[in-house]
Amino acid sequence: MRRSFVILRPVLAAALLLAVPVALAPAAYADHAGHGVQEAGESAAYLVILAPGADPERVMRETGVTEARYVYRSAVRGFAADLDGRQLAALRSHPDVTAVERDGEAVGAPVEEGTTGRW
């Protein structure tokens, strides 16, 4: 019995080391989640992802979005726009909208100079 605990100790330590960052991640990114209450008349940048085949311009017209920063048609269907609370609510209830996320900065892993990115 003592031998099995000696083997399990490093496994349990590794599991704990992996679990702590995962447990803390939601708190670290809470400011960027875009789930806060938006004041009337206030606008913020959002990314809107649509169902495959949906027309971004049609969805924008139907939800009162008059201007988009970008319209996406290749890898995904959707658009990026500054939205007020009324537009945000309309988009979240639109049947062609699959996701609405507050726009923010993404941080990638540093890349060494001269690497090709190939494995």
Side-chain angles (χ1 to χ4, degrees), residues 38-44 46 83-92:
Q38 198 164 321
E39 298 294 325
E42 180 182 320
S43 68
Y46 284 86
L83 306 173
D84 62 28
R86 181 186 52 78
Q87 294 165 327
L88 189 57
L91 283 163
R92 286 189 169 146

Side-chain angles (χ1 to χ4, degrees), residues 16-108:
L16 181 63
L17 287 173
L18 291 172
V20 170
V22 171
L24 295 177
Y29 292 101
D31 291 339
H32 301 290
H35 298 295
V37 175
Q38 198 164 321
E39 298 294 325
E42 180 182 320
S43 68
Y46 284 86
L47 300 174
V48 180
I49 307 301
L50 305 177
D55 179 31
E57 281 84 9
R58 179 184 54 79
V59 172
M60 289 171 56
R61 278 192 311 274
E62 292 174 358
T63 56
V65 178
T66 57
E67 187 176 334
R69 292 178 174 206
Y70 304 101
V71 175
Y72 306 104
R73 296 184 180 279
S74 297
V76 296
R77 291 269 189 183
F79 56 91
D82 292 327
L83 306 173
D84 62 28
R86 181 186 52 78
Q87 294 165 327
L88 189 57
L91 283 163
R92 286 189 169 146
S93 66
H94 196 283
D96 285 340
V97 174
T98 60
V100 179
E101 294 292 330
R102 189 129 186 206
D103 196 3
E105 289 185 27
V107 179

